[in-house]
């Protein structure tokens, strides 16, 4: 196995083991009063509605021409067997663009205070889903299966180590079933088993609740007078950083399995 692939396998495991950034008693204590206020302004139902509509919008906003041009390939599918280092380089650019766009929009809407918070959250969810789809292209994956997309988002917005582990494990099972070409047969059982364990991301309602809690924690400081623009931009950068790395690590793992660097069983 090449040194680069080995290093990325270690990085994937380190990412899986890392605790979500919103976890911690000190963080919870500091943000609790403001988190409650954000949850009132941006309730779980609004987040659920945003998730339901955002994936189709995000898919429509994804263009593959720049990826093919930069990678010098005729088809996105070619990237599934090119080089992991090339795909990671492409993903770097997509991730950086998303972070920059999210920071800019978050700062603009954050400056409006309470009034712009709901719009900021809706725009952030759409940009996050677009980022997942676009990063998928970098590894050769077009037309991503919806449970995979929602699973990546769930892993990125986990509110506990348990939530993150369950999302990652569920995505991995689905990816294995796709690689083994038993997608239709196994995915229903996977969804049922994951739901029984408490996985939330297979429904917009469940993911909306999880995501609403996560964003309420992150957006808490955006309501502090005088710093809304700064915190709006900063929290969007923080969230999109997490979303991008969740997508990159999970798609790296899928690529490594498909190319024989990791066992799919």
């Amino acid at each position: 196995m090449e040194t680069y692939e080995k290093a990325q396998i270690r990085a994937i495991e380190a990412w899986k083991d890392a605790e979500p950034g919103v976890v911690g008693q000190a963080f919870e204590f500091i943000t609790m009063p403001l988190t409650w206020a954000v949850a009132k302004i941006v309730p779980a139902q609004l987040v659920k509605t945003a998730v339901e509509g955002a994936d189709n919008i995000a898919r429509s906003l994804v263009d593959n021409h720049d990826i093919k041009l930069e990678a010098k390939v005729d088809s996105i599918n070619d990237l599934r067997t090119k080089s992991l280092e090339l795909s990671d380089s492409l993903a770097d650019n997509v991730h950086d663009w998303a972070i920059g766009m999210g920071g800019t929009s978050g700062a603009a809407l954050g400056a409006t205070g309470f009034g712009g918070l709901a719009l900021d959250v809706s725009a952030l969810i759409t940009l996050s889903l677009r980022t997942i789809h676009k990063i998928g292209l970098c590894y050769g994956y077009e037309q991503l299966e919806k449970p995979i997309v929602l699973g990546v988002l769930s892993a990125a917005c986990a509110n506990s180590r348990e939530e993150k582990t369950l999302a990652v494990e569920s995505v991995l099972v689905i990816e294995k079933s796709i690689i083994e070409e038993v997608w239709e047969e196994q995915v229903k059982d996977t969804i049922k088993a994951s739901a029984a364990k408490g996985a939330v991301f297979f429904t917009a309602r469940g993911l909306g609740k999880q995501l609403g809690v996560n964003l309420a924690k992150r957006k808490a400081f955006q309501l502090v007078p005088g710093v809304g623009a700064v915190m709006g931009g900063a929290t969007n950068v923080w969230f999109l950083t997490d979303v991008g790395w969740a997508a990159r690590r999970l798609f790296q793992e899928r690529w490594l399995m498909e190319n024989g660097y990791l066992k799919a069983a």
Side-chain angles (χ1 to χ4, degrees):
M1 187 185 300
E2 299 296 329
T3 301
Y4 185 82
E5 283 75 17
K6 285 183 178 179
Q8 296 313 304
I9 289 171
R10 291 194 296 270
I12 291 166
E13 292 306 313
W15 172 79
K16 287 181 180 179
D17 291 339
E19 198 166 71
V22 297
V23 175
Q25 289 184 345
F27 183 86
E28 295 277 356
F29 179 78
I30 293 170
T31 61
M32 190 179 297
L34 292 172
T35 297
W36 179 86
V38 174
K40 292 296 182 182
I41 300 169
V42 189
Q45 179 61 38
L46 185 148
V47 179
K48 167 185 171 291
T49 302
V51 171
E52 285 178 332
D55 189 51
N56 288 334
I57 296 172
R59 287 176 189 269
S60 71
L61 294 173
V62 175
D63 186 347
N64 64 23
H65 295 302
D66 58 330
I67 300 293
K68 290 193 293 185
L69 185 64
E70 187 176 351
K72 299 178 181 178
V73 295
D74 295 323
S75 168
I76 288 296
N77 192 61
D78 293 342
L79 290 168
R80 295 173 75 164
T81 53
K82 275 285 185 179
S83 105
L84 183 60
E85 197 164 1
L86 170 61
S87 290
D88 285 347
S89 177
L90 297 170
D92 270 336
N93 294 335
V94 172
H95 198 180
D96 288 345
W97 182 90
I99 288 171
M101 179 63 69
T104 301
S105 65
L109 291 169
T112 66
F114 287 85
L117 188 56
L119 182 58
D120 181 23
V121 167
S122 294
L124 180 59
I125 291 171
T126 301
L127 179 56
S128 297
L129 291 170
R130 180 194 183 277
T131 301
I132 294 168
H133 284 287
K134 192 82 173 183
I135 288 177
L137 294 178
C138 298
Y139 295 88
Y141 306 123
E142 280 192 289
Q143 301 301 318
L144 286 168
E145 300 79 9
K146 192 167 186 176
I148 294 285
V149 176
L150 297 185
V152 171
L153 185 56
S154 181
C157 71
N159 297 301
S160 68
R161 185 185 294 273
E162 291 74 22
E163 282 186 357
K164 180 180 178 182
T165 298
L166 184 54
V168 169
E169 289 179 349
S170 299
V171 169
L172 183 58
V173 171
I174 295 173
E175 287 181 336
K176 286 179 180 178
S177 71
I178 294 169
I179 292 169
E180 294 167 0
E181 299 183 343
V182 288
W183 161 252
E184 293 295 337
E185 179 183 340
Q186 288 191 2
V187 71
K188 292 180 181 178
D189 291 336
T190 298
I191 292 173
K192 288 178 182 178
S194 298
K197 292 179 182 178
V200 299
F201 63 82
F202 288 121
T203 67
R205 180 180 180 182
L207 182 56
K209 183 177 180 180
Q210 180 194 29
L211 185 54
V213 170
N214 189 277
L215 288 176
K217 293 177 182 178
R218 294 178 191 256
K219 290 290 184 181
F221 291 117
Q222 194 167 323
L223 298 185
V224 177
V227 297
V230 173
M231 296 310 299
T235 53
N236 281 12
V237 166
W238 178 20
F239 187 73
L240 284 161
T241 297
D242 286 350
V243 169
W245 278 115
R248 294 172 70 171
R249 293 309 184 200
L250 289 169
F251 294 140
Q252 278 183 323
E253 187 169 50
R254 181 171 172 178
W255 191 98
L256 287 161
M257 287 191 295
E258 288 186 346
N259 287 277
Y261 292 100
L262 285 173
K263 290 184 178 180

